[in-house]
């Protein structure tokens, strides 16, 4: 970790405005001191952009140039806004508003709606997909689940690009969008959706921005009131601004130019939502006198990782590529990226799980490892592989830290101890804050050593351990701090969703990984058809896929593993090739003009060969086919059942329920989630097959050698109709 991108969790608040600038590099300092007029910060990955802009705001506030209440900093996620608020508080600028576009707009809309329209603001719907389904039904159009999701995305795109139903077909054609249904049908559903919202007196997420824009455009008195409140604006991730968000920003600004934008055109990966880098790239045209600062010193990644990232962009084309930033690593040399090729996707997942298990055994914290993939559908294979390897993991986007039941209980216990601790015998021998926290949390299940294995028990322990570590850092940074001080800190962090680190390998899509970083990153499925994704057809879409891979590469600090599989399923045709984006970059390949090079021998590990017996068994299998209709199976869930989802099931419902009851007992005994014993799909496959012996059971996907040895006797006994006794023996 370096001073430019990482600080201690609880740094001392700088004593003076000039002290705010300490530790900034020359370019970051230039950003922090550019407090007047329009400012454009072009910031590459890992260059400390959040550090630069938060120090800019804090310096302006501490120097008396900016009033905290007059500054509005906007970004795109609650996590990013929370992090910004946390950093500003640590720098002594806690009164500054840091919000997402939607949060800021909703706050203004709720305040001004009675004055602008009258009455209460219509109810905001959390999920619009049911409304879209109702609109399609009203139009007598049948949508399957996938089409419903895609039509919903089209409606969202229309709204952020300010496209009305009548203009949808032409706008979609101009943008090169592939409509999930006939454009006329999509437009019809869109129109019906808007009618339904009016009839039911509800608004959606995009309406928040649209209505705020409408109010500010139509009511100049309200617009002036907003402008008198907010006089200085900072926009993070400016390359992701949609036309609608840009319009709202212009209305907030009025005729003023006190605006600082920060972004990187090479990290534009959300165009499907209406985001465009054009506003960033055109900033100097709209503001000829703007101060422009480029941040290219990469404090996050090793020179080897940065070299690969620069190499990816060196082959890019298009307008964003013309403005790419050449990163310069500030870290000492590290390991070269490792490239691995596997026979099929399950083998690739097993290979990654083995490496991760070895890394953790060597001392790498599980929380500093991530597996990143192109689509969420790839997650299940890696969840299963990590569970089989006994590796704890967390899904990006899962329950927020401060919303976890054990964290809420721990917070209540700490609050009670802070209030009544003098009467608590648990604290008699606690001489300092960390020991007090350990004593209180020991009553909630925390122990000095983690429990064996993974699963729910381990996850609860990790949550409590994160609070223990937080207390230790807090006490180090603030000697003399009390339990009450820590409780106040936790309350502020919960409000900002500024969570401590939880141990567990992160599984995430490349899109959801943006803004995050890890010591070790596994980029998996980097093959043609997945990266770039099959439906990326136009040059612009292909280039966005390249930028997505660039974002993935730049998440890694020290170690990067890149892998691909030659076939999707075991025994499938090995027709896949590594992604064209790696041509000329991975050892043994040759740069081509849009073509693909064959995998060369130098430096590429053949994952299948490393897998030994397992790999040999996989390559000898024939393609997985549906045992009902004979169709070749590709979906991981269908392959477990050995039938298409749509084909009739011959599952023994009674057997399935007995297996579920047995699984619940095993999960409770081991302190693991039920799926770590067997997933629902695997249990369904067992109940449909009703195997008679170990050979039949072993052929069911999801039943590996380890699980066969551990659970095989029980499962076969249940399938034979025998009762399983408490000691695990059949009767």
């Amino acid at each position: 970790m370096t001073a430019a991108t990482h600080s201690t969790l609880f740094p001392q608040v700088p004593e003076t405005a000039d002290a705010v600038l300490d530790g900034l590099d020359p370019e970051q300092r230039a950003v922090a001191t550019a407090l007047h007029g329009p400012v454009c910060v072009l910031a590459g990955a890992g260059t400390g952009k959040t550090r630069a802009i938060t120090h800019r705001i804090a310096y302006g506030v501490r120097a008396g140039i900016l009033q905290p209440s007059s500054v509005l900093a906007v970004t795109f996620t609650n996590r990013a806004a929370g992090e910004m608020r946390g950093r500003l508080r640590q720098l002594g600028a806690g009164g500054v508003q840091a919000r997402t576009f939607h949060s800021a707009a909703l706050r203004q809309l709720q305040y001004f709606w009675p004055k602008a329209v009258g009455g209460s603001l219509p109810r905001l719907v959390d999920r619009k997909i049911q409304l879209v389904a109702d609109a399609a039904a009203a139009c007598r159009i049948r949508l399957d689940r996938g089409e419903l999701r895609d039509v919903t995305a089209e409606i969202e795109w229309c709204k952020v690009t300010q496209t009305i139903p009548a203009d949808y077909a032409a706008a979609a054609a101009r943008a090169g969008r592939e409509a999930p249904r006939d454009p006329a049908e999509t437009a019809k559903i869109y129109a019906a959706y808007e009618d339904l919202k009016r009839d039911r007196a509800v608004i959606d997420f995009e309406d928040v921005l649209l209505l705020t824009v409408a109010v500010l455009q139509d009511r100049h008195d309200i617009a002036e009131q907003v402008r008198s409140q907010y006089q200085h604006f900072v926009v993070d991730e400016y390359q992701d601004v949609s036309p609608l968000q840009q319009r709202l920003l212009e209305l907030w600004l009025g005729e003023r130019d006190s605006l600082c934008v920060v972004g990187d055109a090479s990290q534009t990966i959300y165009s499907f939502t209406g985001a465009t880098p054009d506003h960033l790239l055109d900033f100097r045209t709209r503001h000829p006198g703007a101060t422009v600062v480029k941040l290219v010193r990469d404090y996050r990644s090793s020179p080897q990782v940065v070299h690969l990232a620069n190499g990816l962009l060196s082959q890019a084309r298009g307008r964003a590529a013309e403005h790419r930033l050449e990163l310069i690593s500030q870290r000492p040399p590290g390991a070269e990226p490792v490239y691995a090729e596997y026979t099929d996707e399950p083998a690739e997942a097993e290979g990654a799980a083995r490496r991760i298990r070895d890394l953790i055994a060597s001392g790498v914290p599980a929380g500093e490892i991530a597996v990143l993939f192109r689509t969420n559908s790839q997650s299940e294979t890696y969840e299963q592989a990590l569970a089989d390897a006994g590796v704890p993991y967390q899904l990006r986007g899962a329950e927020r830290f401060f919303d976890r039941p054990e964290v809420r209980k721990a917070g209540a216990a700490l609050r009670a101890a802070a209030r009544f601790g003098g009467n608590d015998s648990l604290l008699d021998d606690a001489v300092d804050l960390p020991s007090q926290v350990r004593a209180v949390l020991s009553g909630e299940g925390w122990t000095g050593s983690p429990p064996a294995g993974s699963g729910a028990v381990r996850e609860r322990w990790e949550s409590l351990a994160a609070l223990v570590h937080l207390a230790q850092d807090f006490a180090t940074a603030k000697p003399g701090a009390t339990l009450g001080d820590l409780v106040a800190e936790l309350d502020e962090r919960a409000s900002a969703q500024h969570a401590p680190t939880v141990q567990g390998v992160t599984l995430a899509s490349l899109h959801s990984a943006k803004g995050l970083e890890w010591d070790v990153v596994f980029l998996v499925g980097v093959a043609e058809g997945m990266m770039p994704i099959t439906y990326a057809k136009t040059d612009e879409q292909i280039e966005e896929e390249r930028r997505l891979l660039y974002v993935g590469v730049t998440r890694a600090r020290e170690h990067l593993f890149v892998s691909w599989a030659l076939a999707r399923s075991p025994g499938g045709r090995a027709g896949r090739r590594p992604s064209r984006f790696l041509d000329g970059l991975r050892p043994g390949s040759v740069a081509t003009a849009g073509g693909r090079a064959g995998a060369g021998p130098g430096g590429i590990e053949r994952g299948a060969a490393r897998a030994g017996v397992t790999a040999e068994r996989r390559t000898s299998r024939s393609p997985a086919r549906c045992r009902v209709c004979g169709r070749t199976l590709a979906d991981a869930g269908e392959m477990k059942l050995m039938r298409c989802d749509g084909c009739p099931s011959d599952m023994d419902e009674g057997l399935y329920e007995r297996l579920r009851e047995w699984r619940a007992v095993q999960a409770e005994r081991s302190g693991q989630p039920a799926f770590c014993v067997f997933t629902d799909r695997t249990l369904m496959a067992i109940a449909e097959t009703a195997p008679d012996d170990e050979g039949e059971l072993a052929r069911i996907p999801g039943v590996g050698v380890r699980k066969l040895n551990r659970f095989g006797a029980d499962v076969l006994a249940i399938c034979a109709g025998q009762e399983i006794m408490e000691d695990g023996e059949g009767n």
Side-chain angles (χ1 to χ4, degrees), residues 139 141 151 154-155 158 164-170 179 181-194:
C139 298
I141 298 173
V151 168
E154 288 302 289
I155 291 174
C158 286
I164 61 174
D167 295 340
Y168 168 70
R181 298 285 297 225
D182 178 87
E185 286 186 332
T186 301
K188 188 176 180 181
I189 296 170
Y190 177 18
Y193 169 79
E194 293 297 315

Side-chain angles (χ1 to χ4, degrees), residues 79-104:
R79 184 197 62 79
E83 180 183 356
M84 195 177 289
R85 286 193 295 271
R87 292 200 192 194
L88 289 169
R89 180 165 57 87
Q90 292 167 355
L91 291 169
V96 173
Q97 290 291 315
R99 296 181 175 274
T100 65
F101 269 101
H102 283 85
S103 171

Side-chain angles (χ1 to χ4, degrees), residues 331-532:
R331 298 189 59 137
E336 291 289 343
V338 174
Y339 300 85
E341 183 177 275
Y342 294 88
T343 54
D344 52 62
E345 289 184 5
E348 184 180 8
E350 290 167 8
R354 282 193 303 273
R355 281 189 181 278
I356 290 170
R357 185 181 58 202
D358 292 344
L359 285 165
I360 294 173
S362 71
V364 178
E368 287 297 348
I369 303 173
V371 178
L372 307 182
F373 32 74
R374 176 61 179 84
T375 66
N376 287 320
S377 63
Q378 295 168 270
S379 174
E380 183 182 0
T381 305
Y382 288 88
E383 292 175 54
Q384 184 69 60
L386 290 173
D388 287 346
V391 174
Y393 65 85
Q394 56 181 332
L395 291 171
R396 175 74 185 149
E399 187 177 37
R400 296 190 296 188
F401 180 82
F402 288 104
D403 292 337
R404 297 176 184 177
E406 66 270 19
V407 174
R408 290 202 301 269
K409 276 191 67 181
L414 289 169
R415 189 170 288 104
R419 192 173 300 168
F420 308 113
N423 300 320
D424 192 338
S425 60
L426 268 177
L427 302 182
D428 287 349
D429 298 324
V431 297
D432 55 17
L433 178 60
S435 60
Q436 289 175 338
V437 171
R438 288 193 295 269
V440 172
L441 296 188
S442 65
E444 302 299 321
W446 180 82
T447 56
S449 301
S454 58
V457 172
R458 176 64 181 247
E459 289 173 5
R460 285 194 294 272
W461 185 89
E462 293 287 3
S463 296
L464 298 177
L467 294 175
V468 170
H469 291 313
L470 194 70
Q472 292 167 343
D473 290 328
F474 189 65
T476 301
K478 299 181 182 299
T482 66
L483 204 51
D485 295 331
L486 177 64
V487 168
E489 174 67 25
L490 289 174
D491 287 341
E492 290 197 39
R493 281 174 163 259
S495 175
Q497 285 301 326
H498 184 193
T501 301
V502 178
Q503 289 306 316
V505 174
T506 299
L507 295 176
S509 70
L510 286 164
H511 283 101
S512 66
K514 185 155 187 314
L516 303 174
E517 58 189 78
W518 296 269
D519 285 346
V520 184
V521 168
F522 287 77
L523 292 177
V524 300
V526 188
E528 286 292 312
M530 193 60 74
M531 181 61 65

Side-chain angles (χ1 to χ4, degrees), residues 350 354 607-621 705:
E350 290 167 8
R354 282 193 303 273
R610 291 173 55 84
V613 175
T614 301
E616 291 173 14
R617 187 181 73 240
R618 289 190 185 285
T619 54
S620 66
R621 291 179 183 169
V705 174

Side-chain angles (χ1 to χ4, degrees), residues 266 306-317 321-322 324-326 543 546 550 581 583-585 591:
S266 295
V306 167
H307 178 71
L308 176 57
N310 286 335
L312 280 171
L313 291 188
S314 70
Q315 301 178 11
R317 303 170 183 172
E322 294 170 4
R324 71 183 182 90
L325 299 168
E326 185 87 13
E543 287 306 314
R546 187 193 306 274
Y550 171 80
F581 300 145
D583 289 350
L585 300 175

Side-chain angles (χ1 to χ4, degrees), residues 125-132 152 156 193 204-206:
V125 294
D126 293 330
R127 297 177 71 250
K128 61 173 67 69
I129 199 160
Q130 185 57 55
L131 268 175
V132 176
T152 301
E156 292 173 347
Y193 169 79
D204 64 22
F205 200 56
E206 290 72 36

Side-chain angles (χ1 to χ4, degrees), residues 592-614:
T592 58
R596 300 196 297 270
I604 298 181
E605 298 186 8
R606 304 295 177 182
R610 291 173 55 84
V613 175
T614 301

